[in-house]
């Protein structure tokens, strides 16, 4: 281990744990982004916070000339589950890599930006940052994420989300039920119709839904109900037939119950991730050098793939999104939230920092290799 990482070890783990203790959801990451901005300013990077007109985004830069590597730093948590996607590890890895690279940037002739990217779990912070020019001129965009397995080349599907609102007519559920229009019935029928649609989906397509609102009292016919639906497909084009399926299911519920319905997209579409082959090769080599065993892509990857707003970036800038195992647990669970501050989670943050820094050195000077 280099002296740089030895000195960083304790503060980096402390940073990861502090982020984990104070989870903040999409677009509300005020304390998290401030903490990270201070961490990077203390280590000699030039920090703008807020950045690109987004209150919880930041931009920390080192170096003046040469290839620009953008390290994506996620720090939003999941509603009700805290850091169940381990974005405290993502953030610590990116910030640690920034701290390792900052003193080398001028000497090695490269530039690095640690980009604070809010709202990955819905909201599409990176899509907004891309639109605002945050990735302009980048030679590479990198993000290290904790997961179940080590991966140099992660698979992510395209995704789109919808809010489906049914409006009916409230009435006394016993004395005047006939004059009501039951919005909950409409939503439940639509949910079932989505279930029926699943039998016709193409390989890798997915429809999932929750029913966050469905009435308030059992003695009143509900006049308002809401489904939130997420669709996923191998490619962005594959989302169009799924949008039609959502529309049909929504209308089926509305027609059957005499309610009205509106279907509104929630946030931008996430595009499928395109991994740059050269970056994946660098990442695989460095994962192995860290004693990890990156798993080769397999035929089942698509059917268990999530989605990321880094996908949109990957269609514009060479991108890699390697994963580092923090145990045999899946993201978006309470067990994963615990793993994100376990010894394996801490190792993920430290290895992630080294991995990102080494890949960045490869991008700066492909022939010299990335050793720290
Ligand atoms: Zn997630
Ligand atoms: Zn995540």
């Amino acid at each position: 281990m280099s002296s740089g990482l030895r000195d960083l070890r304790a503060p980096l783990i402390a940073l990861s744990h502090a982020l984990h203790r104070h989870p903040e959801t999409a677009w509300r990451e005020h304390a998290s982004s401030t903490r990270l901005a201070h961490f990077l300013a203390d280590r000699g990077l030039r920090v703008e916070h807020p950045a690109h007109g987004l209150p919880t985004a930041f931009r920390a830069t080192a170096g003046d000339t040469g290839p620009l590597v953008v390290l994506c730093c996620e720090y939003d948590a999941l509603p009700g589950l805290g850091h169940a996607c381990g974005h405290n590890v993502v953030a610590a890895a990116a910030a640690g890599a920034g701290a390792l690279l900052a003193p080398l940037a001028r000497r090695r002739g490269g530039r690095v930006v640690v980009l604070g990217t809010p709202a990955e779990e819905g909201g599409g912070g990176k899509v907004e940052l891309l639109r605002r020019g945050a990735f302009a001129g980048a030679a590479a965009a990198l993000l290290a994420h904790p997961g179940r397995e080590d991966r140099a080349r992660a698979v992510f599907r395209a995704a789109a989300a919808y809010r489906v609102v049914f409006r009916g007519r409230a009435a006394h559920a016993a004395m005047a039920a006939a004059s009501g229009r039951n919005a909950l019935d409409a939503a439940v029928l639509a949910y079932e119709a989505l279930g029926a649609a699943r039998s016709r989906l193409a390989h890798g397509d997915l429809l999932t839904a929750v029913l966050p609102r469905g009435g308030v009292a059992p003695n009143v016919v509900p006049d308002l109900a809401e489904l939130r639906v997420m669709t996923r497909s191998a490619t962005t084009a594959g989302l169009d037939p799924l949008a039609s399926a959502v529309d049909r299911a929504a209308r089926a519920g509305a027609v059957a119950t005499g309610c009205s319905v509106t279907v509104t997209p929630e946030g931008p579409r996430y595009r499928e991730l395109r991994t740059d082959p050269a970056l994946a090769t660098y990442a695989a080599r460095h994962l192995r050098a860290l004693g990890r065993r990156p798993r080769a892509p397999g035929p089942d990857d698509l059917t268990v793939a999530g989605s990321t707003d880094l996908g949109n970036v990957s269609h514009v800038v060479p991108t890699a999104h390697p994963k580092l195992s923090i145990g045999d647990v899946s993201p978006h669970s309470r067990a994963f939230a615990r793993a994100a501050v376990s010894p394996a989670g801490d190792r993920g943050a430290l290895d992630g920092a080294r991995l990102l820094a080494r890949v960045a050195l490869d991008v700066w000077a492909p022939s010299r290799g990335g050793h720290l």
Side-chain angles (χ1 to χ4, degrees), residues 35-363:
R35 188 182 294 280
L36 285 154
H38 284 159
F39 179 93
L40 290 160
D42 287 348
R43 281 158 185 83
L45 288 93
R46 305 186 295 276
V47 178
E48 298 160 59
H49 179 235
H52 301 287
L54 300 175
T56 58
F58 65 84
R59 185 177 184 90
T61 307
D64 300 312
T65 55
L68 169 63
V69 176
V70 177
L71 306 175
C72 293
C73 192
E74 296 175 346
Y75 33 81
D76 60 327
L78 286 158
L81 282 177
H83 273 295
C85 205
H87 289 183
N88 59 304
V89 175
V90 175
L100 289 169
L101 291 166
L104 305 175
R106 282 219 174 90
R107 190 154 29 99
R108 300 274 189 117
R111 287 179 294 153
V112 62
V113 164
V114 182
L115 186 65
T117 64
E120 191 276 335
E121 301 286 1
K126 292 185 203 65
V127 182
E128 194 53 41
L129 284 164
L130 183 66
R131 199 177 67 76
R132 292 170 185 234
F135 292 89
L142 303 172
L143 188 151
H145 200 292
R148 186 190 280 268
E149 302 168 321
D150 297 320
R151 292 271 186 155
R153 180 190 287 269
V155 177
F156 286 94
R157 285 182 266 198
Y162 304 91
R163 188 180 294 269
V164 184
V165 176
F166 297 92
R167 292 181 194 280
R169 188 189 303 143
H172 195 296
M175 294 163 64
S179 68
R181 295 277 186 276
N182 193 321
L184 174 61
D185 282 346
V188 169
L189 287 166
Y191 183 86
E192 293 292 347
L194 288 173
R198 284 194 190 103
S199 62
R200 308 190 299 274
L201 295 181
H203 175 72
D205 283 5
L206 189 64
L207 286 164
T208 51
V210 291
L211 208 172
R213 289 198 288 177
V216 286
N219 59 351
V220 179
V221 173
D223 63 349
L224 185 70
E226 178 188 325
L227 281 177
R228 295 182 67 199
V229 184
M230 194 156 179
T231 65
R232 301 186 207 246
S233 188
T235 64
T236 312
L239 297 173
D240 291 335
L242 297 176
S244 304
V246 173
D247 256 346
R248 281 197 302 274
R251 277 188 282 120
V255 167
T257 55
C259 293
S260 66
V261 64
T262 55
V263 180
T264 316
E266 270 199 281
R269 286 181 167 192
Y270 286 13
R271 304 189 72 178
E272 72 279 10
L273 186 83
R274 285 185 184 165
T275 300
D276 179 76
L279 293 176
T281 303
Y282 300 152
R285 188 169 72 234
H286 296 308
L287 280 167
R288 283 192 209 98
L290 290 164
R292 293 176 175 269
R293 289 190 183 171
R295 218 189 96 177
D300 298 333
D301 288 353
L302 187 63
T303 54
V304 293
S307 307
T308 173
D309 56 0
L310 193 65
N312 299 49
V313 176
S314 76
H315 287 247
V316 182
V317 174
T319 295
H321 186 302
K323 290 186 176 175
L324 297 104
S325 171
I326 61 166
D328 191 17
V329 282
S330 279
H332 294 202
S333 66
R334 293 193 193 280
F336 199 84
R338 288 191 293 275
V341 280
S342 69
D346 294 345
R347 190 177 156 228
L350 295 168
D351 283 358
R354 281 199 282 185
L355 171 68
L356 292 177
R358 289 173 179 183
V359 174
L361 291 178
D362 283 333
V363 176

